Amino acid sequence: MSDRPGYWEELERPGPDTVLVGGESLRVGSRVRLHPGSRTDVWDAALEGRAAVIEGVEQDMEGRVQFTVIVDDDPGRDLGERKQPGHRFFFGPEEVEPLGPGEDAPEPTGPRVLVAGIGNVFLGDDGWGVALADRLSRRALPAGVDVVDYGIRGMDLAYSMLDGGYDSVLMLDAVPRGGAPGTVYVIEPEVDPGDVAIDTHGMDPVKVLTMVQGLGGSPPRTLVVGVEPANRLDADVEEFLVELSEPVRAALDEAERVVTTLLEEMT
């Protein structure tokens, strides 16, 4: 019996995570300028020189790589982000030019959302929020969404919520609530308006919200996308655990879908 992959297995094979173009590693979420190779089609002429974001990286059975892109100034850009036909275009690596950070970036015109990864990656499942933020940072997200890994920097997150101009915040964190390990939650934390504690070492969602109030501000609407951890390690442990438990790692796929849906609603 042949070990050669079948036709359907070949079609389902994922593309590479990164592709080197012009000395830059391009991945999902990278921004590029389009230079169609043929320029004989009306679409090629219309897309020449346009800025776009890479929404997907695909590879065919011959090993050829193609980028799926969404054009910045496409009036139907939101349809492309929802993977609707007619607003997603396909280009080879030789037909795109990497754009530097912020270069020709579109100005957000709608609500701004901060997605904040929270957790200590050296304490097992506590690092789940950071792992989820890393995933989200590598995919195309609606304009106006910023994904930031805050780790255990609670004060930095509080200042971002206070002065960042965000309309809403999504915190990603491991939240023990007594469910089965790997259970994904969506929580809207409530804080008493009179709570004004400032704890520079506090990094759970409620402590961050009270820090914002302690700094004299009013937190934007905040939701927590959390997971039930399988292990809980203390910062005083002598041995670190730099990996997620299996049920918590498996929950990343579901949580990514949940966050994507929430961002579509928020923006």
Side-chain angles (χ1 to χ4, degrees):
M1 186 173 179
S2 172
D3 292 331
R4 181 183 177 87
Y7 176 75
W8 293 110
E9 286 82 358
E10 286 282 358
L11 286 181
E12 293 174 356
R13 182 177 59 187
D17 289 335
T18 62
V19 178
L20 194 65
V21 175
E24 299 285 339
S25 292
L26 298 183
R27 54 172 54 85
V28 171
S30 296
R31 302 192 64 260
V32 295
R33 192 179 305 284
L34 306 177
H35 299 293
S38 64
R39 304 189 191 182
T40 57
D41 184 274
V42 63
W43 279 110
D44 290 342
L47 295 175
E48 168 61 35
R50 298 290 183 88
V53 64
I54 296 175
E55 192 269 340
V57 182
E58 302 174 5
Q59 187 173 22
D60 64 18
M61 290 185 289
E62 281 72 42
R64 292 187 294 261
V65 172
Q66 261 193 337
F67 296 124
T68 308
V69 305
I70 300 173
V71 179
D72 283 354
D73 56 2
D74 180 359
R77 176 188 174 92
D78 60 325
L79 298 176
E81 291 168 348
R82 294 172 188 157
K83 303 188 184 300
Q84 297 297 312
H87 298 276
R88 302 166 75 233
F89 305 94
F90 301 90
F91 286 82
E94 72 282 356
E95 297 178 298
V96 302
E97 170 193 354
L99 288 175
E103 186 178 353
D104 281 0
E107 289 293 329
T109 56
R112 297 190 62 214
V113 182
L114 173 63
V115 180
I118 295 174
N120 190 328
V121 296
F122 297 108
L123 297 181
D125 290 345
D126 192 63
W128 180 84
V130 172
L132 181 54
D134 177 66
R135 275 197 179 201
L136 293 165
S137 69
R138 291 184 278 114
R139 63 173 297 160
L141 296 173
V145 175
D146 295 331
V147 180
V148 181
D149 167 14
Y150 284 94
I152 57 174
R153 297 176 290 114
M155 185 62 76
D156 288 350
L157 175 53
Y159 274 115
S160 294
M161 295 174 69
L162 182 66
D163 301 325
Y166 293 105
D167 298 282
S168 50
V169 176
L170 271 182
M171 296 186 186
L172 316 176
D173 195 13
V175 287
R177 293 168 64 87
T183 302
V184 174
Y185 307 111
V186 178
I187 308 161
E188 186 160 9
E190 295 183 1
V191 180
D192 190 314
D195 292 342
V196 292
I198 297 181
D199 178 2
T200 58
H201 298 289
M203 195 41 176
D204 70 65
V206 172
K207 286 184 178 179
V208 173
L209 292 172
T210 58
M211 274 195 281
V212 174
Q213 293 181 163
L215 293 168
S218 178
R221 184 199 179 199
T222 300
L223 295 178
V224 178
V225 176
V227 71
E228 184 72 42
N231 57 60
R232 293 196 66 189
L233 301 181
D234 189 272
D236 295 329
V237 296
E238 295 183 0
E239 293 186 8
F240 294 132
L241 178 61
V242 194
E243 60 182 14
L244 301 176
S245 65
E246 188 54 39
V248 170
R249 181 185 301 278
L252 288 169
D253 290 338
E254 179 187 351
E256 190 172 356
R257 290 190 293 270
V258 169
V259 170
T260 301
T261 300
L262 289 172
L263 290 176
E264 288 179 356
E265 296 171 357
M266 290 175 164
T267 57

